[in-house]
Amino acid sequence: MAKRHIHPYETRYHAKATYSKAIRASGDFVFMQGQVGVDDDGRLVGKGDPGLQADQACRNIERWMKEAGGELSDVCKLTVYVTDISYRPAVYESINRWFDEVMHCSTGVVVSGLADPDFLVEIDAIAVID
C-alpha cells in the first residue's frame, strides 16, 4: 500500500516522535488524526467555547483534505469527541455548517478528557477521494 504523508511534524509533547496530520493511502483513502481547535501557529482558538473549537477543527480538516488532493465532500466518516455532553449542540451546529450536504457517517463520543485540558472537542476524519 502506497502512503503519502500530509504535513508531517514533530510532536511538542513528552516523547519525541514524528506524526502526520493525515495519510493518503492506496491513492484514494485519507486517514486523519484527531483535529482540535488549534490554528496553524499552534494557538488554541476558542478557549472555553466548544463551538469555536469545533469550527477550527473543521477548518483544519478542510486544510489537510486539500493538501491530500481532496475536498470536504470526500469525507466519509467523522468521529467527534466532546468532554461534556452539553457541548454537543454547539459542536454539531459548527460541523453541520462545514459539512452541509456531505451526508457523512458520524460517531459521537463523550470522554473524560483530551490531550490538553483546554481541548473541549476533537474530530477525526476518514475520506475517500474520488
Side-chain angles (χ1 to χ4, degrees):
M1 169 182 352
K3 295 191 299 187
R4 188 177 74 153
H5 295 271
I6 308 301
H7 199 84
Y9 69 100
E10 284 191 13
T11 182
R12 59 188 172 139
Y13 295 105
H14 307 289
K16 184 174 182 172
T18 302
Y19 296 97
S20 296
K21 296 290 184 179
I23 294 175
R24 184 166 178 176
S26 293
D28 296 330
F29 293 96
V30 177
F31 300 93
M32 196 167 302
Q33 75 176 47
Q35 296 299 306
V36 294
V38 174
D39 68 14
D40 294 344
D41 296 320
R43 291 186 301 255
L44 179 64
V45 173
K47 183 172 181 171
D49 186 325
L52 288 177
Q53 288 189 26
D55 195 54
Q56 181 63 48
C58 290
R59 186 174 293 109
N60 295 343
I61 291 169
E62 180 181 54
R63 177 180 179 191
W64 309 132
M65 284 303 303
K66 285 182 179 178
E67 195 168 320
E71 301 289 333
L72 284 179
S73 61
D74 296 318
V75 171
C76 298
K77 173 82 166 79
L78 293 178
T79 304
V80 181
Y81 304 88
V82 295
T83 58
D84 189 301
I85 198 162
S86 69
Y87 298 159
R88 291 184 69 212
V91 168
Y92 281 98
E93 183 178 318
S94 178
I95 290 169
N96 290 339
R97 280 194 309 273
W98 284 88
F99 289 90
D100 184 40
E101 298 184 24
V102 173
M103 301 298 291
H104 61 282
C105 298
S106 181
T107 299
V109 183
V110 179
V111 296
S112 62
L114 296 167
D116 184 300
D118 288 330
F119 297 163
L120 306 177
V121 60
E122 184 167 340
I123 305 169
D124 67 40
I126 299 172
V128 178
I129 297 175
D130 293 329

